[in-house]
Amino acid sequence: MRYSDTHKEETRKKVLKAAAKAVRAKGPDGVGVAEIMAEVGLTHGGFYAHFPNKEALVAAAIDEAFGQSGRRFERLTGGMDGREALSTFVDLYVTREHRDHPERGCPIATLSSELPRQGQPVREAYERGVQALIGRLTRWLPDERKGLAASLLAEMAGAVSLSRAISDGAAADQLLADARRSLKLRMGIVQ
Amino acid sequence: MRYSDTHKEETRKKVLKAAAKAVRAKGPDGVGVAEIMAEVGLTHGGFYAHFPNKEALVAAAIDEAFGQSGRRFERLTGGMDGREALSTFVDLYVTREHRDHPERGCPIATLSSELPRQGQPVREAYERGVQALIGRLTRWLPDERKGLAASLLAEMAGAVSLSRAISDGAAADQLLADARRSLKLRMGIVQ
DNA sequence: CCTCTAATATGATGTGCATCATATAAATGC
DNA sequence: GCATTTATATGATGCACATCATATTAGAGG
């Protein structure tokens, strides 16, 4: 092989990361192949040497996005007990910071409504990510109540998502604060 | 005028209703002008006699969708006290029926994630609808706690939205049931 | 029954996009 | 430094769509 052994793999990774960001920022249908390739300094034609089609890229990008936030949370909560980990998670997820940066946030808060309309490979990637996150939360909860974990995640994503629709910043912040409190109550962290 | 006085207005209404359904089913960007006109038995060209452009239609369709569900809930909860109205609302909103029929459901559960990326007129219509719904819930709550109302709405929409991503029907139903219970707890309806 | 005008249809234009066939260029091993 | 092969670029194709200019038709008023 003439390019370095790792060159193609590196390019693929870069494309994937750009896509993971772009998909969250503009949605699966709002983003174009050419745009993502340009982001990496390439042109659109080379794309098909890395992915069979756009749908495969989007699916991989969603896996990547979930993977990124998953690793981040593992890192930040490593060594904590369940109670502390849950509290940390809420304080990182249900925030203005998350609301204001969908492109590096949780795919659920950013893509929930449009994902059911995507093709099967994309939906599958999304569900994998959702289930992994539910699993993580479940392990942190007393008695490992999976149903509760899912419902808590719904509340967190719903709060971030709805706060993005509220133009009055103070009201949006208040919504997030109310949600954090409700979540910690449900988790048994506060009374 | 040669057509009956009300003809144009009736056509506009029909287009609007078709759009309100289509926008929820396929998203603002997933739906085409020609498709909506065909739904009403017309061709695409006539569209611009009714709306200046697609964006205006989408904004009007979102108003219409919020209006439809608003009127429906007013009708169903008319005469109830706050407690009973809230309980009824939860039992209608956080359901499998709602999950399975986005095209006639709440625009928040169907459009939340992609709406922040729409143009201003569409975002404004959406926020009007959100605020109206928050207002309705607020009036039903003891002490009229607006922040709580918003947070409750986030949890409801989040639960329906997330349940749409879960392919295992039983698990999705369980998520909805858990959410209903959590919501009624927060509303002070059950212990 | 005919006229006239508002409502709708036809068809064209331009744009953006995914995909692919083919051309070019990069850089390693010789 | 050259040949070879692999990565990337160029450019073409076809489709879906919004928009608009122009043509046609429906049908109430005379």
Side-chain angles (χ1 to χ4, degrees):
Chain A
M1 56 201 65
R2 299 308 141 109
Y3 281 72
S4 77
D5 278 19
T6 57
H7 186 174
K8 189 172 181 182
E9 182 55 24
E10 280 165 21
T11 301
R12 200 194 119 103
K13 267 258 160 67
K14 277 189 243 170
V15 172
L16 199 52
K17 285 192 171 178
K21 192 178 264 194
V23 162
R24 281 175 287 185
K26 306 186 168 187
D29 300 334
V31 83
V33 168
E35 187 183 345
I36 288 173
M37 293 302 277
E39 196 75 32
V40 181
L42 301 176
T43 58
H44 59 283
F47 173 76
Y48 294 88
H50 296 284
F51 297 92
N53 52 47
K54 183 186 167 180
E55 187 171 51
L57 171 69
V58 172
I62 287 177
D63 272 330
E64 166 68 17
F66 273 110
Q68 280 173 17
S69 17
R71 286 190 298 276
R72 176 161 168 252
F73 281 119
E74 290 289 344
R75 188 160 25 84
L76 290 169
T77 60
M80 292 185 180
D81 62 18
R83 186 192 174 83
E84 203 184 348
L86 285 169
S87 183
T88 303
F89 190 89
V90 169
D91 287 336
L92 284 168
Y93 195 114
V94 188
T95 54
R96 171 194 250 160
E97 164 73 15
H98 191 182
R99 180 189 84 209
D100 292 341
H101 294 286
E103 79 283 0
R104 52 174 194 260
C106 175
I108 304 177
T110 312
L111 302 173
S112 59
S113 72
E114 53 203 309
L115 238 121
R117 298 191 299 263
Q118 293 292 312
Q120 206 188 333
V122 177
R123 289 203 315 276
E124 282 174 359
Y126 183 69
E127 186 170 2
R128 266 196 303 280
V130 168
Q131 297 290 5
L133 190 41
I134 291 177
R136 199 188 319 279
L137 293 172
T138 302
R139 270 173 265 119
W140 284 336
L141 282 170
D143 309 328
E144 308 228 338
R145 293 169 52 204
K146 189 167 179 176
L148 176 60
S151 166
L152 289 167
L153 180 57
E155 182 172 356
M156 289 190 262
V160 172
S161 203
L162 190 62
S163 78
R164 289 187 179 138
I166 295 175
S167 55
D168 172 354
D173 287 344
Q174 185 59 48
L175 160 57
L176 294 175
D178 285 327
R180 283 195 302 273
R181 172 146 191 95
S182 157
L183 285 157
K184 291 181 182 177
L185 264 167
R186 294 178 68 192
M187 289 168 170
I189 293 172
V190 297
Q191 267 78 46
Chain B
M1 55 199 69
R2 298 308 138 109
Y3 282 72
S4 78
D5 278 18
T6 57
H7 186 173
K8 189 171 181 182
E9 182 55 26
E10 280 164 20
T11 301
R12 198 194 121 102
K13 267 259 161 66
K14 277 189 246 172
V15 172
L16 199 52
K17 284 190 173 178
K21 190 178 267 191
V23 163
R24 279 174 290 184
K26 306 188 169 187
D29 300 333
V31 82
V33 168
E35 187 184 346
I36 288 172
M37 293 302 277
E39 196 74 32
V40 180
L42 300 177
T43 56
H44 60 281
F47 172 77
Y48 295 88
H50 295 285
F51 296 92
N53 52 48
K54 183 186 168 181
E55 186 170 52
L57 170 69
V58 171
I62 287 176
D63 272 330
E64 168 67 17
F66 273 110
Q68 279 172 17
S69 19
R71 287 191 297 277
R72 177 160 168 254
F73 282 119
E74 291 288 344
R75 190 161 22 85
L76 290 169
T77 59
M80 292 184 179
D81 63 18
R83 187 190 172 85
E84 203 183 348
L86 285 170
S87 182
T88 303
F89 190 90
V90 169
D91 287 336
L92 283 167
Y93 195 114
V94 189
T95 55
R96 172 194 249 159
E97 163 74 15
H98 191 182
R99 179 189 81 209
D100 292 340
H101 294 286
E103 79 283 0
R104 51 176 195 260
C106 175
I108 303 176
T110 313
L111 301 174
S112 58
S113 71
E114 53 203 309
L115 237 120
R117 298 191 298 263
Q118 294 292 311
Q120 205 189 334
V122 176
R123 291 202 315 275
E124 281 175 359
Y126 183 69
E127 186 170 2
R128 269 196 300 281
V130 169
Q131 296 290 5
L133 189 41
I134 290 177
R136 200 188 318 280
L137 293 171
T138 302
R139 271 174 263 119
W140 286 335
L141 283 170
D143 309 327
E144 310 228 338
R145 293 168 52 203
K146 190 167 178 175
L148 176 60
S151 165
L152 290 167
L153 180 56
E155 182 173 359
M156 289 190 262
V160 172
S161 204
L162 190 63
S163 77
R164 288 188 178 136
I166 295 175
S167 55
D168 172 355
D173 287 345
Q174 186 58 49
L175 160 59
L176 294 175
D178 285 327
R180 283 195 302 274
R181 174 146 190 93
S182 157
L183 286 157
K184 290 181 184 178
L185 265 167
R186 294 177 68 191
M187 290 168 170
I189 292 172
V190 297
Q191 265 79 46

